[in-house]
């Protein structure tokens, strides 16, 4: 890096996904000497105190006329104000809707000679929300006006080029994992709290939206449990939690399911797993799967979206078509009963996560994008 940069990051504060990537990136950038300002409507869940990293809250004023308070305008004003006060070089928007538009507006307010805009696409901001006619024109506009656009997988890059705009500037930068936090050593601390010694532990972590197919998670667990003593640990919460509970009761396995909600030490819980289940209908990347792999936990998932760019079928996990829960469970049971093969999958998962998706390999790619955006005509 030529010189330390001053970077504003706009993101969602919620559990998992794009907010996590934004915060982890901010922390890694600060560790590399940059100054980072995170902007959101609430403190992001994984944000920890760190010198050089500050948090700024967007306040959306209520007014009787506003049925829909204009958050994107308040965010744009905040970003413009921060750019002026802290002489920001880069505004980095995570998740296109509405952050990319707000960042472009802020740049228009302060001038392109002062700050440049980078947008990182995370998934449904393209595949679902971004392609909705209600938002599509604005996403297309904001992306075309950004100085650089990245997507978290090749799948999402190609999907954006297919669905939103065929812009060759869009490049893939995969998500990354901090192996000081997610590592196999975290396993010992919580394993005894979630299961007995002779039980196999299957873990799932998500925001329990329909796309995660949490009912499939329970189905896989129920099939595995017919062959061995097992426990299912469910991390997170969301709209499909009741569905997962209902299916568990219907299949007679509710007593083996542990719904933990939003835990603070995600790494310690994920590391208790003998396998991680992520049979989503589509994942642009699957950050939770990568975090599990870094903990030495093989992944069982669906052959969809960007997950095959992370998990290698038959090496560090099992990938089958969406909804093929019987085959997933059959292959997983065979793996769990074959100790040497399971140990090899654990090792392969951990090596892949740390060697291919480590913080030190990926964060410089973002620094290069920042430089390119700054040097663009
Ligand atoms: O696109 C979403 O569903 C939201 C986003 C989030 O903020 O949770 O998740 C996406 O971004 C993650 C981080 O880049 C990816 O690991 C997830 O695969 C992706 N989710 C989906 O594509 C469903």
């Amino acid at each position: 890096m030529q010189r330390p940069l001053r970077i504003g990051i706009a993101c969602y504060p919620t559990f998992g996904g794009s907010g996590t990537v934004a915060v982890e990136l901010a922390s890694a950038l600060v560790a590399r000497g940059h100054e980072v300002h995170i902007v959101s409507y609430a403190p992001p869940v994984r944000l920890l105190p760190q010198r050089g990293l500050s948090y700024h809250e967007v306040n959306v004023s209520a007014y009787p006329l506003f049925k829909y308070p204009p958050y994107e305008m308040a965010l744009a004003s905040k970003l413009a104000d921060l750019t002026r006060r802290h002489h920001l070089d880069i505004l980095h928007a995570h998740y296109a809707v509405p952050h990319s538009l707000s960042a472009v507006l802020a740049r228009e307010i302060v001038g392109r000679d002062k700050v440049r805009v980078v947008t990182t696409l995370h998934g449904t901001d393209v595949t679902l929300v971004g392609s909705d006619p209600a938002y599509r024109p604005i996403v297309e506009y904001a992306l075309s006006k950004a100085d650089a656009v990245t997507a978290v997988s090749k799948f999402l890059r190609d999907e954006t080029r297919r669905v939103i705009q065929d812009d060759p500037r869009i490049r893939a930068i995969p998500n990354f994992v901090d192996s000081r936090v997610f590592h196999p050593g975290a396993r010992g601390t919580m394993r005894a709290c979630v299961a007995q010694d002779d039980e196999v532990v299957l873990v799932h972590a998500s925001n329990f939206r329909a796309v995660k197919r949490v009912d499939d998670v329970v189905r896989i667990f129920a099939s595995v449990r017919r062959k061995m003593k097992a426990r299912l640990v469910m991390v997170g919460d969301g709209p499909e939690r009741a569905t997962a509970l209902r299916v568990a009761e219907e299949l007679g396995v509710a007593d083996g399911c542990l719904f933990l909600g939003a835990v603070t030490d995600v790494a310690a819980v994920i590391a208790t797993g003998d396998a991680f289940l992520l049979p989503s209908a589509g994942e642009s990347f699957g950050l939770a799967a990568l975090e599990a792999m870094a903990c030495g936990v093989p992944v069982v998932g669906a052959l969809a979206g960007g997950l095959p760019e992370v998990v290698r079928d038959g090496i560090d996990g099992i990938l089958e078509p969406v909804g093929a829960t019987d085959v997933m469970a059959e292959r997983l049971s065979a793996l769990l009963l074959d100790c040497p093969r399971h140990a090899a999958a654990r090792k392969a998962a951990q090596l892949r996560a740390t060697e291919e998706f480590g913080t030190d390999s990926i964060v410089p790619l973002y620094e290069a994008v920042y430089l390119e955006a700054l040097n663009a005509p």
Side-chain angles (χ1 to χ4, degrees):
M1 204 72 221
Q2 286 167 327
R3 68 173 170 95
L5 297 175
R6 289 176 292 264
I7 303 152
I9 289 186
C11 65
Y12 283 108
T14 42
F15 221 88
S18 58
T20 301
V21 173
V23 171
E24 299 288 345
L25 176 61
S27 171
L29 287 166
V30 167
R32 295 169 72 85
H34 305 288
E35 177 184 310
V36 180
H37 299 260
I38 292 197
V39 188
S40 195
Y41 57 78
V45 176
R46 285 206 195 167
L47 186 63
L48 295 172
Q50 193 176 357
R51 205 177 321 125
L53 178 60
S54 47
Y55 163 67
H56 308 267
E57 196 144 307
V58 181
N59 297 307
V60 191
S61 319
Y63 186 66
L65 205 56
F66 297 159
K67 185 174 174 192
Y68 306 105
Y71 177 74
E72 53 282 8
M73 290 172 75
L75 174 60
S77 298
K78 189 79 177 179
L79 292 173
D81 177 48
L82 287 172
T83 303
R84 284 188 177 128
R85 279 198 289 130
H86 297 279
H87 307 287
L88 301 184
D89 303 293
I90 294 286
L91 292 175
H92 190 167
H94 283 265
Y95 201 89
V97 184
H99 304 132
S100 58
L101 179 68
S102 302
V104 166
L105 281 174
R107 188 194 61 195
E108 297 307 305
I109 294 168
V110 297
R112 195 164 171 269
D113 55 327
K114 301 277 190 313
V115 75
R116 296 290 166 100
V117 171
V118 175
T119 292
T120 291
L121 302 166
H122 283 271
T124 50
D125 48 352
V126 169
T127 56
L128 216 64
V129 188
S131 31
D132 180 330
Y135 299 107
R136 200 202 136 105
I138 211 78
V139 170
E140 198 174 330
Y141 172 80
L143 295 189
S144 72
K145 294 291 176 190
D147 297 292
V149 179
T150 74
V152 297
S153 62
K154 293 182 187 130
F155 160 79
L156 187 60
R157 175 198 62 196
D158 297 347
E159 207 49 18
T160 310
R161 289 176 65 169
R162 193 178 68 81
V163 178
I164 308 283
Q165 60 191 206
D166 190 11
D167 184 346
R169 294 180 314 149
I170 303 171
R171 83 199 60 186
I173 298 185
N175 286 332
F176 55 93
V177 65
D178 185 347
S179 55
R180 290 166 309 170
V181 178
F182 292 88
H183 57 85
R187 182 177 169 81
T189 55
M190 214 170 272
R191 169 94 192 185
C193 304
V194 301
Q196 290 164 3
D197 281 355
D198 58 348
E199 282 177 324
V200 151
V201 177
L202 307 184
V203 181
H204 170 79
S206 78
N207 43 23
F208 287 55
R209 284 174 299 160
V211 70
K212 303 292 173 181
R213 295 180 71 100
V214 284
D215 49 334
D216 278 3
V217 170
V218 177
R219 280 180 230 286
I220 296 167
F221 167 64
S223 301
V224 169
R225 209 190 185 202
R226 270 180 229 122
K227 302 213 170 86
M228 64 197 83
K229 286 185 80 177
R231 183 158 296 272
L232 177 64
V233 178
M234 302 285 266
V235 180
D237 207 349
E240 293 299 310
R241 185 178 199 257
T243 309
L245 264 168
R246 181 179 46 77
V247 175
E249 265 153 30
E250 279 168 12
L251 297 175
V253 294
D255 62 318
C257 302
L258 212 55
F259 286 83
L260 296 182
V263 299
T264 39
D265 195 349
V266 183
V269 179
I270 287 183
T272 64
D274 295 294
F276 186 83
L277 308 184
L278 195 66
S280 315
E283 286 290 342
S284 64
F285 183 87
L287 181 62
L290 177 62
E291 291 175 341
M293 289 166 73
C295 293
V297 181
V299 174
V300 179
L303 260 173
L307 198 59
E309 293 172 41
V310 185
V311 179
R312 294 167 301 177
D313 182 39
I315 301 175
D316 35 45
I318 292 166
L319 296 178
E320 289 290 343
V322 177
T325 53
D326 286 346
V327 195
M328 288 178 191
E330 201 174 304
R331 289 187 60 197
L332 174 58
S333 301
L335 179 68
L336 292 168
L337 292 169
D338 183 341
C339 291
R341 202 154 64 84
H342 185 226
R346 272 190 180 288
K347 190 77 206 148
Q350 193 216 342
L351 276 179
R352 177 158 174 80
T354 50
E355 287 177 1
E356 300 287 324
F357 301 99
T359 309
D360 292 342
S361 317
I362 306 300
V363 175
L365 303 179
Y366 278 110
E367 291 177 319
V369 167
Y370 294 158
L371 271 193
E372 242 180 87
L374 285 171
N375 293 330

